[in-house]
Amino acid sequence: MNLHSRWSFLPCAALGILLALHEPAVRAAAAPVPAVAAPTPAPPNPVAASRPAPPEAVSVPVPRLETVVVAEPVADAAVTPASSKAAVAATPAPTKAIAAATPAPTKAGAAPRLLSVEVLQRYDAKKRKRIQDALKQIFQGDASYAKAHAAAGQPLSDNVVGPITLSFITRFWLYYNMEPAPNVSEASVDALLHFADRLAAHKEWRPDVLSVEFGRWIDGQPDRATLYPIRLRLDEVKLPPVLVRYHAKASAQIANVGDKVGQAYWYGLTAEDLKTIASKRQFSAATVKALKALVEPDTVIAHTDFEEEVKAVLADTTQKPGPLLPLLKEHAVKTDHGIGVTDETLAAIAARPVLPAPLAALLQPMVGMQYPHQQLFARALQDRLTVGIGSCQPVVSPARRAPGPSGRMSDEDMAALIEAVSYGQDADPDLGKRLRTLRDANYCGPADPEFALDGSTASASPGYKERRTMGDLYTRYSYLFDQVSRKTPAYDRSAPITLAADLCGCSDDQRTQVFRFLPFWQGGAAQRIDFSLVSRVNYYGVTFDDSGTLVMANGGGGVSELFSGQDDRQLDFVTAARRHRVKVDWVIQRSAWGPWSALGIEERARRFALLSTNIESLLNASMTDLASRARPWLSFGTTPVPVRGDGVTLYFDGYPRDAASVGQFETFLGDLRKRLDQKHFRLNIMMRRTELNQGIYQYSKLAGMVRGDDTVAPWWMTERRHQMLQREQMRKLPNLLVLFDEPSGYNKQLLRREIESDGTTMDQLRLLNRIVPVINFDGSGWQQLQEDLVYFNQNFGGVGFWPGWTPANAAPARRAVAGVKECGESQSVDDCIQDFFRDPPGQASSTDSTVSKLVCEYRWPLRFALDVLLIILVVLAIAYWRSCQARTLLRKHYVAPLAVALLAVLVLVALLLFDPYLAPASDGYLIPAVLVLCLIGMYCYFRAKFKERNERP
């Protein structure tokens, strides 16, 4: 054989292959690599199966590179876990394992190759980006994903796939595949990309297909093996019927647990509440009494025996020694020989509060603040903690900095808080370290709004680390606040809502509106309000039962009997508001939907129809007070008796989000809007900001509500008439009142960003123009209030104020004055509204002349006086014309009719100038009309003089 031939290697290669096939060690090395990760259990029982928690509740550790080896077992074969030694023996070196796990691309029909970091990294850049975009689409709002995304190097958004990306692909496959621990292969990546594409195309499926409730429901179905692949593929044909089945059988959604039908609540802290939770001690009296056995004068316990002694004395109690040991050692007398427990040591243990004293002092400014929902109270409390700790102070905007020395905790209080968190019951040293880090931070990274879609975490603070730490701190003590925060105020008929005002004039027409809320439990003493700076007031307290009947919350009785007869004083606030040209809306609220959801679909439809009728009847009922009943007489029959309301505000908090309930609400809303439009009533819809883009508050549905009639004007209609018709249609569109959670400075930008990322440009514009943020001002953050008002005025359709409780000894509200001042300087909400929410700034109706205010507030008596004066003048003219005696008498006392005529002219001019209803109609015609009247008077006067001269002999 020619050894120099280029084919001489073939015999040697063949011989090597034969030897390799007969060598057991080599054969074992060439065999498929068994799984090193946890073995895949057998398929679970369909009845008892329980899917793993969703991404929101599960945190999967990120695997390291050398541990990511996943194998695919033989189909229909039970997998037996190998012993640790066998696993080690069967596991080759990392490089060989990777080489074995990444064969060349398979042909059609071949098994997909298993997934590893190396396989992912061999994908082209476009596919790697698609994978990370898909993970972002699926795991939006997940805390562990956000944490991994924000890690150094941004491993989930750098288009470089690695072990962290692989771990989240595994999580996806774990959550949405049939088997609890499946194999991850290239087919898993294809399924992930397909799932994300279909999810982006059908956003309405997202709340269901990603929810743990849907997975649990599938687990309980006999055809679960068919349903899981349908959900994994998001099959456009087969999934909708599955969702119909799910919504038909799923249990009723109870968003506000514990709320009862017919009840209204507010949430907050009173001085007594704060005193109660601050007085709770961390260690019980029984624990301190048991520790008394350790106190022996002039005696110390050896260091080595101290822990055992403490365990022995606590054996008969439920107290664990772990939290006590560091505290005892800290407060005890320590010597070289041992530790001595004294009475002073036990006094320090007994006085240790559950709520640290620095936090109790920090929350003192929140005493008296009232919030309509627990989530709003919790967000405000967390924001207060953020301000008090003062994290990221050097770089945050002045609006978010501590409002002064009293707003930020001192270094001593901060040290005491960290010590309380790090030691004692349920000690969390890691939280203490994070609090110290935030306190000393020089940088606070901004949060990506796309990770803040979960309302419970979206608005805590601009930084993710700060948000997470503040959330953990609040959660540590939240059970204390939950025990006392919910209030169920009793309805008292003897304490109606009453409004009082000095001479403030009338509300003026503005593009952006100002809403004020009047909760029924704040009745009794008159509330002073500057009506010139208010557009609409909303009375809060009416709800409805499961039959659709309107009732007053908290035992107030039926609405139809409440506001009539002897109880007409309940409507004094309506008369006061109307006097100042302020509209009155009735809030129809409900938060308990469990019994309602349990009703049948047809039954709910009937009761919704009854509710619509009852709302129309409430608004259309006539007022019964003397001033209202006298209105037709004052206007000589031209004006009817006023009705009870000008509009309604629907506040259906936590309304069910299933398709059937959403469809019924749309039907109910369409019927109600038709009824209200016929009677020229307004409709407002109120929701919490965290409910936006869910259920009945999806942006697409809200955009449809505020979309006007775009039909082309008929040929015979003038352009001016068409513009007036369009303005009238715009006034009929509902306002969307959004209850803001704290911090408002961050959430206002987040809300606009969410709207601008959804729908068409015109829909975005309509939504922004109809949204009215509702805030709860605490009386301290004046700079933030100013910035919010400026932003709301430029970007939204108004602002609403939910009232906090005002102490009885509080200083009276100061009237707004002319000119523009910083809100921190004026220290007045009314002045701040006038200066930063009116056009032109600083010159609202409150700065008008005294005459204009008088005319506006007393326009009805002045109109009546004008009518009487005109009637007197007509009677005198007829008498002068027909009776010689009257003519002689009037000539003799001509000053009287001239005075009546002059007074009538003055009243007429005043009304034409300052009456808000007559002034627009007389615009441009006032001066010519006065000149014509003067000419007519002069003509009549000189004609009479000439006639008298001609009759002389």
Side-chain angles (χ1 to χ4, degrees):
M1 182 177 60
N2 185 5
L3 296 178
H4 298 283
S5 172
R6 58 179 179 177
W7 305 106
S8 60
F9 72 93
L10 289 177
C12 295
L15 180 59
I17 293 173
L18 291 175
L19 291 175
L21 293 177
H22 287 81
E23 178 60 37
V26 177
R27 239 188 357 256
V33 180
V36 177
T40 304
N45 189 317
V47 177
S50 177
R51 297 297 298 168
E56 293 83 352
V58 175
S59 180
V60 177
V62 177
R64 284 178 281 184
L65 176 62
E66 61 270 15
T67 63
V68 183
V69 179
V70 184
E72 183 175 5
V74 180
D76 302 327
V79 179
T80 304
S83 64
S84 58
K85 293 182 179 180
V88 172
T91 305
T95 56
K96 295 181 180 179
I98 293 173
T102 56
T106 56
K107 298 180 180 181
R113 61 178 175 177
L114 303 179
L115 203 60
S116 67
V117 174
E118 278 63 33
V119 173
L120 289 174
Q121 291 177 346
R122 291 180 183 178
Y123 291 153
D124 56 54
K126 183 178 180 181
K127 188 168 186 179
R128 293 198 300 266
K129 185 178 186 305
R130 285 189 62 200
I131 291 173
Q132 292 190 338
D133 289 345
L135 292 175
K136 184 177 181 180
Q137 171 76 10
I138 295 169
F139 288 99
Q140 283 181 357
D142 177 47
S144 59
Y145 177 81
K147 181 179 180 180
H149 185 279
Q154 297 182 331
L156 291 175
S157 60
D158 57 358
N159 298 338
V160 179
V161 292
I164 296 179
T165 304
L166 180 58
S167 71
F168 278 96
I169 297 175
T170 306
R171 288 184 64 182
F172 165 77
W173 200 239
L174 177 68
Y175 294 145
Y176 303 110
N177 193 27
M178 174 65 185
E179 299 298 338
N183 297 316
V184 182
S185 65
E186 289 191 296
S188 306
V189 176
D190 296 335
L192 170 74
L193 298 177
H194 176 79
F195 188 89
D197 290 341
R198 300 263 44 84
L199 195 63
H202 297 278
K203 295 180 181 179
E204 68 277 8
W205 292 347
R206 183 183 182 87
D208 289 329
V209 298
L210 298 182
S211 68
V212 66
E213 291 82 5
F214 189 46
R216 289 172 179 169
W217 175 80
I218 293 178
D219 281 335
Q221 303 306 308
D223 56 344
R224 61 190 294 269
T226 303
L227 297 180
Y228 267 109
I230 292 176
R231 181 174 73 158
L232 182 62
R233 295 192 302 267
L234 292 183
D235 193 305
E236 294 180 325
V237 177
K238 297 181 180 180
L239 183 60
V242 174
L243 293 178
V244 171
R245 284 176 54 190
Y246 164 63
H247 289 303
K249 296 183 180 180
S251 58
Q253 174 195 3
I254 304 178
N256 302 306
V257 179
D259 288 8
K260 297 180 181 180
V261 177
Q263 298 287 335
Y265 309 93
W266 67 268
Y267 299 81
L269 295 175
T270 64
E272 189 64 27
D273 294 335
L274 193 57
K275 181 180 178 180
T276 299
I277 62 178
S279 63
K280 291 187 177 182
R281 299 306 170 195
Q282 198 171 78
F283 300 103
S284 65
T287 298
V288 178
K289 183 178 180 180
L291 292 174
K292 187 74 174 177
L294 298 175
V295 179
E296 296 183 15
D298 303 326
T299 303
V300 296
I301 304 172
H303 291 283
T304 56
D305 299 333
F306 186 75
E307 185 172 344
E308 294 300 328
E309 290 288 341
V310 173
K311 290 181 180 179
V313 298
L314 295 177
D316 296 333
T317 68
T318 58
Q319 175 66 49
K320 295 181 180 180
L324 272 169
L325 286 171
L327 294 174
L328 286 170
K329 292 178 180 179
E330 178 184 354
H331 296 284
V333 177
K334 293 178 284 294
T335 68
D336 295 337
H337 302 287
I339 300 174
V341 179
T342 64
D343 290 333
E344 289 76 12
T345 304
L346 298 187
I349 299 296
R352 189 176 179 87
V354 175
L355 182 70
L359 288 189
L362 183 65
L363 298 179
Q364 188 65 41
M366 288 194 65
V367 169
M369 294 298 294
Q370 300 179 358
Y371 301 88
H373 195 274
Q374 193 277 337
Q375 183 257 346
L376 301 175
F377 165 69
R379 301 303 327 140
L381 198 151
Q382 291 185 48
D383 191 64
R384 187 69 191 175
L385 296 179
T386 303
V387 172
I389 290 176
S391 60
C392 309
Q393 286 293 305
V395 295
V396 298
S397 64
R400 274 197 44 80
R401 291 179 186 168
S406 61
R408 190 171 189 254
M409 286 191 295
S410 65
D411 293 338
E412 293 77 10
D413 286 344
M414 190 67 197
L417 173 62
I418 294 175
E419 191 268 342
V421 169
S422 303
Y423 302 101
Q425 293 282 60
D426 302 321
D428 191 349
D430 177 67
L431 178 59
K433 292 179 181 178
R434 286 187 283 145
L435 288 173
R436 171 54 62 191
T437 301
L438 285 181
R439 176 76 168 193
D440 301 336
N442 292 321
Y443 175 73
C444 188
D448 188 340
E450 296 185 10
F451 300 147
L453 299 181
D454 179 5
S456 63
T457 61
S459 59
S461 65
Y464 169 74
K465 292 182 179 180
E466 183 182 14
R467 179 172 67 247
R468 178 168 169 262
T469 302
M470 291 300 101
D472 290 345
L473 181 62
Y474 170 78
T475 302
R476 180 179 178 86
Y477 302 106
S478 61
Y479 73 96
L480 295 173
F481 308 119
D482 293 343
Q483 293 173 359
V484 298
S485 61
R486 174 186 281 185
K487 304 295 189 296
T488 308
Y491 179 75
D492 186 2
R493 294 192 180 194
S494 63
I497 291 287
T498 54
L499 303 177
D502 297 328
L503 193 64
C504 63
C506 295
S507 175
D508 52 357
D509 290 322
Q510 291 281 333
R511 180 187 66 84
T512 50
Q513 303 181 78
V514 177
F515 289 71
R516 294 274 188 174
F517 286 84
L518 306 175
F520 71 87
W521 57 83
Q522 293 189 354
Q527 303 180 36
R528 309 199 69 81
I529 185 171
D530 189 345
F531 287 102
S532 68
L533 299 172
V534 179
S535 305
R536 308 182 79 90
V537 294
N538 280 253
Y539 183 84
Y540 185 90
V542 178
T543 183
F544 60 95
D545 57 23
D546 291 333
S547 67
T549 302
L550 294 177
V551 296
M552 195 65 200
N554 302 354
V559 170
S560 57
E561 298 84 17
L562 181 62
F563 300 104
S564 60
Q566 297 180 351
D567 289 326
D568 59 4
R569 284 193 58 231
Q570 310 292 332
L571 298 175
D572 285 350
F573 73 95
V574 179
T575 304
R578 295 262 180 76
R579 176 184 172 188
H580 298 272
R581 201 176 169 235
V582 173
K583 304 297 184 182
V584 177
D585 299 327
W586 294 79
V587 180
I588 310 299
Q589 64 85 24
R590 177 162 174 163
S591 60
W593 296 100
W596 181 272
S597 301
L599 299 173
I601 295 179
E602 295 182 357
E603 188 63 27
R604 277 182 286 175
R606 285 195 294 269
R607 298 182 185 189
F608 259 142
L610 179 60
L611 176 62
S612 181
T613 302
N614 290 335
I615 291 175
E616 180 188 4
S617 301
L618 168 66
L619 299 178
N620 204 40
S622 299
M623 297 283 290
T624 57
D625 60 292
L626 178 61
S628 299
R629 287 187 283 111
R631 185 72 58 82
W633 298 94
L634 293 176
S635 63
F636 292 93
T638 59
T639 304
V641 176
V643 295
R644 292 182 181 174
D646 302 290
V648 64
T649 299
L650 301 180
Y651 178 37
F652 289 6
D653 188 79
Y655 183 80
R657 298 171 186 169
D658 59 278
S661 297
V662 171
Q664 284 187 324
F665 178 82
E666 292 176 343
T667 303
F668 157 71
L669 192 65
D671 176 54
L672 180 61
R673 288 186 66 178
K674 186 181 299 183
R675 291 173 179 269
L676 297 182
D677 288 345
Q678 290 175 353
K679 300 296 179 63
H680 304 288
F681 294 132
R682 289 287 298 276
L683 172 66
N684 309 309
I685 301 175
M686 187 162 72
M687 74 291 293
R688 286 179 289 121
R689 190 196 63 81
T690 53
E691 283 195 304
L692 283 172
N693 211 20
Q694 301 182 47
I696 59 177
Y697 306 122
Q698 294 179 25
Y699 289 134
S700 58
K701 298 184 182 300
L702 295 179
M705 297 178 191
V706 299
R707 193 176 293 129
D709 187 6
D710 297 331
T711 57
V712 180
W715 61 270
W716 48 266
M717 183 177 291
T718 63
E719 182 178 356
R720 179 179 177 82
R721 174 62 180 168
H722 182 57
Q723 291 177 352
M724 293 177 60
L725 183 62
Q726 286 182 325
R727 284 196 294 268
E728 181 64 23
Q729 289 178 348
M730 289 296 296
R731 280 194 290 267
K732 292 181 180 179
L733 297 178
N735 292 305
L736 307 175
L737 309 183
V738 181
L739 290 165
F740 262 40
D741 49 346
E742 294 294 340
S744 58
Y746 173 63
N747 289 324
K748 65 192 178 192
Q749 300 178 33
L750 178 63
L751 175 59
R752 173 162 182 168
R753 198 175 298 122
E754 289 176 352
I755 293 175
E756 291 178 343
S757 63
D758 189 279
T760 65
T761 304
M762 288 305 300
D763 284 344
Q764 295 169 9
L765 180 62
R766 294 188 186 101
L767 276 176
L768 291 172
N769 288 336
R770 307 309 297 182
I771 283 181
V772 178
V774 180
I775 59 177
N776 195 341
F777 180 59
D778 61 1
S780 60
W782 292 104
Q783 180 64 27
Q784 184 61 60
L785 176 64
Q786 177 176 318
E787 293 185 6
D788 288 344
L789 290 178
V790 172
Y791 193 91
F792 295 160
N793 192 30
Q794 297 298 321
N795 296 278
F796 297 113
V799 65
F801 288 90
W802 182 270
W805 175 73
T806 302
N809 58 352
R814 287 175 290 182
R815 293 291 307 278
V817 296
V820 178
K821 290 184 179 180
E822 294 291 321
C823 292
E825 180 183 355
S826 64
Q827 297 277 304
S828 168
V829 174
D830 290 338
D831 215 329
C832 203
I833 294 173
Q834 176 178 280
D835 294 345
F836 298 98
F837 204 76
R838 282 310 196 206
D839 188 19
Q843 298 185 16
S845 297
S846 59
T847 61
D848 290 343
S849 64
T850 303
V851 175
S852 65
K853 296 176 183 178
L854 280 171
V855 172
C856 183
E857 291 190 28
Y858 297 97
R859 58 188 178 277
W860 283 105
L862 288 175
R863 291 177 190 175
F864 178 71
L866 178 62
D867 293 340
V868 171
L869 291 174
L870 292 178
I871 291 174
I872 292 174
L873 290 176
V874 170
V875 170
L876 291 177
I878 294 175
Y880 184 87
W881 187 268
R882 301 294 299 272
S883 172
C884 294
Q885 295 180 352
R887 187 181 302 114
T888 303
L889 184 63
L890 289 174
R891 287 176 178 175
K892 183 178 181 181
H893 303 284
Y894 66 92
V895 176
L898 286 178
V900 172
L902 179 61
L903 184 60
V905 171
L906 290 177
V907 173
L908 176 62
V909 171
L911 288 174
L912 291 177
L913 283 174
F914 304 118
D915 189 317
Y917 295 96
L918 298 179
S922 62
D923 189 19
Y925 301 99
L926 178 60
I927 295 178
V930 172
L931 292 177
V932 169
L933 289 176
C934 292
L935 291 175
I936 293 175
M938 293 173 61
Y939 169 77
C940 295
Y941 174 78
F942 287 111
R943 184 175 182 277
K945 286 293 184 180
F946 290 152
K947 184 177 181 181
E948 180 182 355
R949 186 191 61 182
N950 295 335
E951 290 178 353
R952 291 175 184 175

